[in-house]
Amino acid sequence: MGIRIAVLASGAGTNLQALLDAWRSQQFRGADMALVASDKPQAGALKRGTALQIPTLALDPAKFPNAAAFDQEMLVHLAEHNVDVVCLAGYMRILTPAFVQTYANRILNIHPALLPAFGGRGMYGHHVHEAVLKSGARFSGCTVHFVDEGTDTGPIILQAVVPVLDQDTPEALAERVLIEEHRIYPRALALYCEQRLQIAGKRVHILEKA
Ligand code: GAR
């Protein structure tokens, strides 16, 4: 049996879609899409999962006393679906330590900037692109990384660079970065499924194809 993947997404789910497309074209070495889950019952991401008959789950944070209880419930569902690896795809919650420990080195995240710059609490979605423009940086991009107990601090798997243009707005920059996100996230997950990612401290070594 292949690796069982869960994708957690809060929004439109275009990164989820990129992962689903890659999965459907057999890029994840026999992996199974076990679950698409969201903290937003209305998330477009859930519809994308349903469209492919993948089990979906919406958990409403308002129904839980705190983040730890929410994550505990999420972990129960992940266990029920025998999930091996968790992909965060525009998931706007910071995972609690219990979650990160349960899936240590088995959680991937996509961030819309070149980490370690423009990461951390409050740096998500349009906030990231606004900060990049304000900084005068000439390049931005995106990062796929393993999730550790910090926020956006885990070992970096892949990055792609996008130039910042003089006339850029946060929306225009976001759009160009997103194209690269859709390209590198499936590649990173494919490398994971092929067991070609070896973590050595902060560095991720990408092993040659067996
Ligand atoms: C993506 O740009 C992703 O990198 C970002 O949210 C967007 C979700 O879009 N994630 C973060 O900012 C996490 N810190 P999507 O729902 O269309 O994939």
Side-chain angles (χ1 to χ4, degrees), residues 3 14 62 83 90 132 156-157 197:
I3 289 175
T14 67
V83 168
V132 168
I156 291 170
I157 301 168
L197 301 176

Side-chain angles (χ1 to χ4, degrees), residues 11-16 89-92 109-112 123-125 128-129 152 178 181-182:
T14 67
N15 276 290
L16 162 69
Y91 187 60
M92 298 305 175
N109 181 45
I110 180 107
H111 184 78
M123 278 292 176
Y124 58 87
V128 176
H129 305 294
D152 300 327
L178 200 56
E181 294 184 39
H182 298 162

Side-chain angles (χ1 to χ4, degrees), residues 3-208:
I3 289 175
R4 291 181 61 78
I5 303 165
V7 183
L8 273 51
S10 303
T14 67
N15 276 290
L16 162 69
Q17 191 64 53
L19 296 177
L20 293 176
D21 292 347
W23 168 66
R24 287 211 297 171
S25 60
Q26 312 291 331
Q27 289 174 42
F28 299 148
R29 218 174 67 170
D32 295 311
M33 276 291 165
L35 182 68
V36 172
S38 185
D39 58 333
K40 298 269 191 314
Q42 302 306 323
L46 292 170
K47 296 188 188 73
R48 295 177 192 270
T50 309
L52 295 179
Q53 277 106 45
I54 295 162
T56 58
L57 166 75
L59 289 182
D60 182 358
K63 300 210 167 91
F64 295 85
N66 52 42
F70 178 91
D71 274 6
Q72 214 51 59
E73 179 73 11
M74 186 64 84
L75 284 171
V76 167
H77 290 277
L78 294 175
E80 271 173 13
H81 288 273
N82 297 311
V83 168
D84 299 305
V85 60
V86 177
C87 294
L88 309 182
Y91 187 60
M92 298 305 175
R93 294 178 68 80
I94 292 172
L95 303 182
T96 54
F99 193 138
V100 176
Q101 282 155 19
T102 304
Y103 279 93
N105 299 335
R106 295 189 295 153
I107 308 169
L108 278 62
N109 181 45
I110 180 107
H111 184 78
L114 293 173
L115 293 174
F118 305 107
R121 281 183 187 263
M123 278 292 176
Y124 58 87
H126 66 97
H127 299 290
V128 176
H129 305 294
E130 282 161 11
V132 168
L133 290 180
K134 210 169 159 196
S135 76
R138 293 210 163 262
F139 292 95
S140 189
C142 50
T143 303
V144 182
H145 63 95
F146 283 110
V147 173
D148 66 7
E149 286 192 36
T151 306
D152 300 327
T153 54
I156 291 170
I157 301 168
L158 292 177
Q159 294 186 302
V161 176
V162 169
V164 179
L165 308 178
D166 288 347
Q167 68 276 18
D168 259 341
T169 59
E171 294 74 28
L173 179 58
E175 209 172 291
R176 293 204 316 287
V177 169
L178 200 56
I179 292 168
E180 292 302 304
E181 294 184 39
H182 298 162
R183 193 173 63 78
I184 70 169
Y185 207 174
R187 275 185 53 202
L189 183 55
L191 289 169
Y192 180 90
C193 291
E194 291 165 16
Q195 299 182 335
R196 291 172 59 196
L197 301 176
Q198 195 178 67
I199 302 173
K202 278 277 183 189
R203 184 89 192 162
V204 177
H205 296 290
I206 298 178
L207 307 178
E208 290 297 319

